[in-house]
Amino acid sequence: MTPELDIEPGSSHAYHTGDWRTRQPVYRNKWPPCSQTCPASEDIQAWLALATEQQWQAAWRKLTERNPFPATMGRICYHPCESACNRKHLDSAVNIHAMERYLGDRAITRGWKHKAVCDTPQTQRVAIVGAGPAGLSCAFQLARQGYPVTIFDAQAAPGGTLYSAIPDYRLPKSVLAKEINAILALGIELRLNSRVGKEISESDLRDQFDAVFLAIGTQRPRQYLTKESSKHSVMSGLEFLHRLNRGEQIALLSKRKSKQVAVVGGGNTAIDVARCVRRLGAEVTVICAQDSHGNHHRELGTEMPASRQEVIEAETEGVQLIYRAGVCRLVRSGEHLSGIEVAHVDQVYDRHGNFNPVLFDGTEEFVPAGLAIFAIGQEADWQGLERLSQATESEGVWLGGDAVSKSKLAATAVGSGYQAAMSIMARLKGESFVFDDHKKAQITFRQMQLHYYPKQPRHEGETNEQRLDGFNEVVTGLADDDAAHEARRCLSCGVCFRCDNCWHFCPDAAVIKTTADYEIDYNYCKGCGICAQECPCGHIDMERLND
Amino acid sequence: MKTNAMDKRDAFRHNVLTSGHRACSGCGEAMAARMVSDLIGPDAIYINATGCLQVFTTHNQQSAWQAPWIHSVFANAAAVASGVEAALRAKGKGTPVVVQAGDGGTFDIGLQCLSGMIERGHDVLFVCYDNEAYMNTGVQRSSSTPHAVRTTTSPPGRLSQGKHHLKKDVISIIAAHHMPYAATATIAYFPDLKAKVEKAMRIKGPRFLQILSPCPLGWAHDSALSVTVSRLAVETGLFPLVELEHGELTGVMRLAEQKPVEEYLRPQGRFKHLFGSKTGAVELRHLQALADARIRHYDLLDADTQWDTERAMQSARHGRGGYASSMPTSEAVKNDA
Ligand SMILES: Cc1cc2nc3c(=O)[nH]c(=O)nc-3n(C[C@H](O)[C@H](O)[C@H](O)COP(=O)(O)OP(=O)(O)OC[C@H]3O[C@@H](n4cnc5c(N)ncnc54)[C@H](O)[C@@H]3O)c2cc1C
Ligand SMILES: Cc1ncc(C[n+]2csc(CCOP(=O)(O)OP(=O)(O)O)c2C)c(N)n1
Ligand code: SF4
Ligand code: SF4
Ligand code: SF4
């Protein structure tokens, strides 16, 4: 209120300069690009902020709200969050995956237990088909809310593809098992060796449960189509990895004179297979139809799908790669495989975007190999699930994970399990559910003041130099001190980190600092915009006022 | 007279200069004066020369000061402070005495009284809020106005490109008195400003601070850019941050990176006439040469000092510190199991 002109001597507080304002500052949390790109929608900024305070357990709890697999994911996720991290515009991205792993490992060593969010037990029962990351993530969210959950899996151990296909040097089985046990400890029932459609029928499932989540992954390898009938010395990448992970000897290799293996494919499975073959002591060549990383191949859409980091590691370990090469035929003398004839690939994908390489005549080359491993994709196996897979959410059936997602990442499966759980609970309660994470206000480095942050080098785990001597982990975790420092590198994009800038700079003493927060005293704020301009992390918005 | 309760809105700061003052939106002088007076605290006597700060903090008899405050006339603030300090001394009191004046009240009309105050060795801190023109009367040029600036009394046109003359090197004039402490500072570098005010308050005798204080009205920049502009003044070398003790240079803020003057000039309407004309281009080169000369004079790129423009900017979680040491702190608790 502006007083009348017959003013008495006194404090300027009587005069509300806030009346002058035509725009006003508002404190508003944003959703940083790391979380925006994290397929599991982790609130990365929030758990890093807790780690900054060395509140390790609180940080782990915040992280596991969305992803109960930090030790696993910190090891195997290809971390798209880091490619998006705003810090790369200052020096280099925050080492998010190493921090994730650090928290996960700390939880394992200290035996931290997940807590239920809701103590009232629910009565409606949920069945989950598939104990991969999608199924387990969904079970975790439901069990935390008090729902009785039963997971069915055809395999002899839980973990899905993480258990059956990912090699030990990237993810030790014990780490995965401990994180899974912590999830199951919430009271989840797990039935192994139970294929739905075989050991249990579809209709039994429908009768006994109020909701069903199908997360069956992609367990059937795509076969190399060939007229020749011999399967001798030919294997799928998935079969190779499954056998290796079950601890079987892959005898084929040692008996060969040549010890030459060819792996066909340009994805992560091909690279995993190749790196395993090196560890078994053989030479290996990867035949890849696409281009290498870099040289704008990504923009052109011809870059190989495997992760760049994985390829670099593979090359360090002596894996040979040939690019833009397609298989013409397997070269045999009798049953015996002597190699693969390849030729230059002109176009990788056809007009419809399908993988359909065109090979050029006259460019043939011979790649010697005593064993050919085809890692050319895999698909969902819906056998025995024909009716369930056609049912809809309104009929109480949800689908998720690799079986239906376009992006085949473990974290995507975790995110899909989370969304399914939220949707299932809403439906069981008769509420509606909208997944709105990706509608949150976003923040780019352009809205931030990067000059307020000191440059600091990124901390990394150490690399095991004797890595080819077996299946030991290649990279170690961060040391305690490094973890604390690495957490501090987070710029806290869009979320106040209490730097005091707005408070120091307000010319009108209109920013009030409290023990918990900052508040704007709109009686006196003139709307100059300095606080918003000088906030390092872009937490403050200026809003126009009408008239 | 009505008595008013002190402003206790903020647990971490006195707000010696509190809200409700009539400075323009985004005023750099109001910001600087609030920072300085909060660093010194309410137990001091503030003497204010005529000028914007005096007018906007005491408009219509409503005072924004929560500390003893005296308005002198335009020219004699330093003389009034000398008297106040002598009286306190006679009564055996050590209450700090602080003078505040604009650049007009320091470089021009107040210079004689200031020189006398220093020469007589009074124990007073003199703070000049340098907004580079007579702002309170409507933006007339002062001897602090930089070269080529547009003011109402140095209008650019056919015959002129703004002010002909150069900005007076007042810090050298003051330091030449061989007085204990003279320094320059600006709002963008709060940790540096804080260190200088605290250092000045530890020293006995006459002390002088020149604080560059952007004026959105007179400099014609967006009100949101006051801090940004003051930062660029330093980063381009046009406004070096220096400390002089007994006439000797004892500290400078090194430039982590020298920015071209154009980055500083562009956002300010008072330099707008320099862009897009041949004669303007000459003045742009002149201003760049002036910045280069300052940088050479103070060795701003290589000086071996505790601060550089990058380090002095750095924000930290949980603040860069409040104002008085007795204030509560927000310490984070460690928790792990
Ligand atoms: C070699 C390889 C390496 C990989 N490396 C990485 C990596 O480094 N990082 C990454 O992010 N992703 C990686 N992936 C992908 C990742 O493993 C998958 O995205 C993820 O496991 C998918 O999870 P899901 O829960 O959807 O399915 P899955 O993990 O495949 O789990 C599905 C489960 O369902 C079970 N099941 C199927 N049908 C039935 C049925 N009818 N009844 C009962 N149970 C059934 C299966 O036994 C299986 O246990 C890799 C994949 C492969 C093949
Ligand atoms: C002797 C005298 N001459 C002129 C004036 C008019 N006058 C009042 S304030 C002012 C300008 C003050 O300029 P400055 O000292 O630079 O402070 P600013 O307003 O820019 O902060 C002038 C010229 C006066 N009050 N007294
Ligand atoms: S700096 Fe922190 S909040 Fe910002 S994108 Fe990187 S990890 Fe996320
Ligand atoms: S700095 Fe102060 S006056 Fe300016 S917009 Fe922010 S709160 Fe309002
Ligand atoms: S300026 Fe600092 S204290 Fe203010 S909102 Fe931004 S991060 Fe928080």
Short mmCIF file of all heavy atoms in Angstrom, two decimals, chain B residues 18 23 35 69 81 94 99 121 123 149 186 204 215 230 236 251 259 287 320 326 332:
data_model
loop_
_atom_site.label_atom_id
_atom_site.label_comp_id
_atom_site.label_asym_id
_atom_site.label_seq_id
_atom_site.Cartn_x
_atom_site.Cartn_y
_atom_site.Cartn_z
N THR B 18 17.74 -0.90 4.61
CA THR B 18 16.67 -1.88 4.44
C THR B 18 15.76 -1.55 3.26
O THR B 18 16.03 -0.62 2.48
CB THR B 18 15.89 -2.03 5.76
OG1 THR B 18 15.00 -3.13 5.63
CG2 THR B 18 15.09 -0.78 6.09
N ALA B 23 15.36 3.81 -4.64
CA ALA B 23 16.31 3.69 -5.75
C ALA B 23 15.60 3.07 -6.95
O ALA B 23 14.63 2.34 -6.80
CB ALA B 23 17.48 2.81 -5.34
N MET B 35 25.50 -3.78 0.85
CA MET B 35 26.57 -4.74 1.15
C MET B 35 27.56 -4.13 2.15
O MET B 35 27.89 -4.75 3.17
CB MET B 35 27.34 -5.09 -0.13
CG MET B 35 26.58 -5.99 -1.10
SD MET B 35 27.53 -6.15 -2.63
CE MET B 35 26.62 -7.47 -3.44
N TRP B 69 22.60 8.07 11.21
CA TRP B 69 22.87 8.53 9.85
C TRP B 69 22.72 10.05 9.79
O TRP B 69 21.76 10.60 10.33
CB TRP B 69 21.88 7.84 8.90
CG TRP B 69 22.06 8.15 7.45
CD1 TRP B 69 22.89 7.53 6.58
CD2 TRP B 69 21.35 9.14 6.69
NE1 TRP B 69 22.76 8.06 5.33
CE2 TRP B 69 21.83 9.06 5.37
CE3 TRP B 69 20.40 10.10 7.00
CZ2 TRP B 69 21.37 9.91 4.36
CZ3 TRP B 69 19.93 10.94 5.99
CH2 TRP B 69 20.42 10.84 4.67
N ALA B 81 32.40 14.38 8.84
CA ALA B 81 32.91 13.14 9.43
C ALA B 81 34.12 13.42 10.32
O ALA B 81 34.25 12.84 11.40
CB ALA B 81 33.28 12.15 8.33
N GLY B 94 34.98 4.71 20.52
CA GLY B 94 35.61 4.23 19.29
C GLY B 94 34.62 3.87 18.20
O GLY B 94 34.95 3.08 17.32
N VAL B 99 31.85 7.59 5.80
CA VAL B 99 31.29 8.58 4.89
C VAL B 99 30.87 7.88 3.61
O VAL B 99 31.55 6.97 3.14
CB VAL B 99 32.34 9.66 4.50
CG1 VAL B 99 31.67 10.76 3.67
CG2 VAL B 99 33.01 10.23 5.70
N GLY B 121 44.58 12.96 9.07
CA GLY B 121 44.69 11.62 9.64
C GLY B 121 43.48 11.17 10.44
O GLY B 121 43.60 10.36 11.37
N ASP B 123 40.31 9.07 11.70
CA ASP B 123 40.02 7.64 11.66
C ASP B 123 38.64 7.43 11.05
O ASP B 123 37.66 7.17 11.75
CB ASP B 123 40.10 7.08 13.09
CG ASP B 123 39.94 5.57 13.11
OD1 ASP B 123 40.14 4.94 12.05
OD2 ASP B 123 39.61 5.02 14.17
N VAL B 149 31.52 8.67 -23.16
CA VAL B 149 30.20 8.33 -22.63
C VAL B 149 29.20 9.44 -22.96
O VAL B 149 29.52 10.62 -22.91
CB VAL B 149 30.28 8.13 -21.10
CG1 VAL B 149 28.90 8.21 -20.45
CG2 VAL B 149 30.94 6.80 -20.78
N THR B 186 34.04 -3.73 -6.62
CA THR B 186 32.76 -3.60 -7.30
C THR B 186 31.81 -4.71 -6.84
O THR B 186 32.22 -5.69 -6.23
CB THR B 186 32.93 -3.59 -8.83
OG1 THR B 186 31.67 -3.25 -9.41
CG2 THR B 186 33.36 -4.95 -9.37
N LYS B 204 43.42 1.56 11.41
CA LYS B 204 43.13 2.87 12.00
C LYS B 204 43.61 3.97 11.05
O LYS B 204 44.56 3.79 10.31
CB LYS B 204 43.87 3.02 13.34
CG LYS B 204 42.95 2.87 14.55
CD LYS B 204 43.62 3.30 15.85
CE LYS B 204 43.17 4.65 16.33
NZ LYS B 204 41.72 4.76 16.58
N CYS B 215 24.59 2.01 -12.89
CA CYS B 215 23.32 2.73 -12.73
C CYS B 215 22.48 2.44 -13.98
O CYS B 215 22.78 2.92 -15.06
CB CYS B 215 23.64 4.21 -12.63
SG CYS B 215 22.23 5.29 -12.85
N SER B 230 29.12 -4.79 -14.12
CA SER B 230 30.24 -4.45 -13.24
C SER B 230 31.32 -5.54 -13.32
O SER B 230 32.50 -5.25 -13.20
CB SER B 230 29.76 -4.24 -11.81
OG SER B 230 29.62 -5.46 -11.12
N THR B 236 37.37 -6.62 -18.53
CA THR B 236 37.95 -5.98 -19.71
C THR B 236 39.19 -5.17 -19.35
O THR B 236 39.92 -4.73 -20.23
CB THR B 236 36.94 -5.01 -20.34
OG1 THR B 236 36.45 -4.14 -19.32
CG2 THR B 236 35.77 -5.76 -20.96
N GLY B 251 47.98 -4.99 -3.81
CA GLY B 251 47.15 -6.10 -4.28
C GLY B 251 46.40 -5.73 -5.54
O GLY B 251 45.96 -4.58 -5.71
N LYS B 259 38.72 -9.80 -21.44
CA LYS B 259 37.61 -9.73 -22.40
C LYS B 259 37.75 -8.45 -23.23
O LYS B 259 38.20 -7.42 -22.72
CB LYS B 259 36.28 -9.70 -21.63
CG LYS B 259 36.04 -10.91 -20.73
CD LYS B 259 34.94 -11.81 -21.30
CE LYS B 259 34.88 -13.14 -20.60
NZ LYS B 259 33.97 -13.15 -19.45
N LEU B 287 39.00 3.27 -26.48
CA LEU B 287 38.63 2.66 -25.19
C LEU B 287 39.38 1.34 -24.98
O LEU B 287 39.80 1.03 -23.87
CB LEU B 287 37.11 2.43 -25.14
CG LEU B 287 36.31 3.73 -24.93
CD1 LEU B 287 34.84 3.51 -25.27
CD2 LEU B 287 36.45 4.23 -23.50
N ARG B 320 28.50 -18.08 0.30
CA ARG B 320 29.86 -17.58 0.37
C ARG B 320 30.02 -16.81 1.66
O ARG B 320 30.83 -15.93 1.78
CB ARG B 320 30.13 -16.70 -0.84
CG ARG B 320 29.96 -17.50 -2.11
CD ARG B 320 30.56 -16.80 -3.25
NE ARG B 320 29.62 -15.83 -3.79
CZ ARG B 320 29.79 -15.25 -4.96
NH1 ARG B 320 30.83 -15.52 -5.67
NH2 ARG B 320 28.92 -14.40 -5.41
N SER B 326 28.61 -13.23 14.07
CA SER B 326 27.75 -13.72 15.15
C SER B 326 26.45 -14.34 14.64
O SER B 326 25.67 -14.88 15.40
CB SER B 326 27.40 -12.57 16.10
OG SER B 326 26.74 -11.56 15.36
N ALA B 332 25.41 -28.32 7.50
CA ALA B 332 24.76 -29.59 7.13
C ALA B 332 25.22 -30.70 8.08
O ALA B 332 26.33 -30.69 8.56
CB ALA B 332 25.12 -29.94 5.71
#
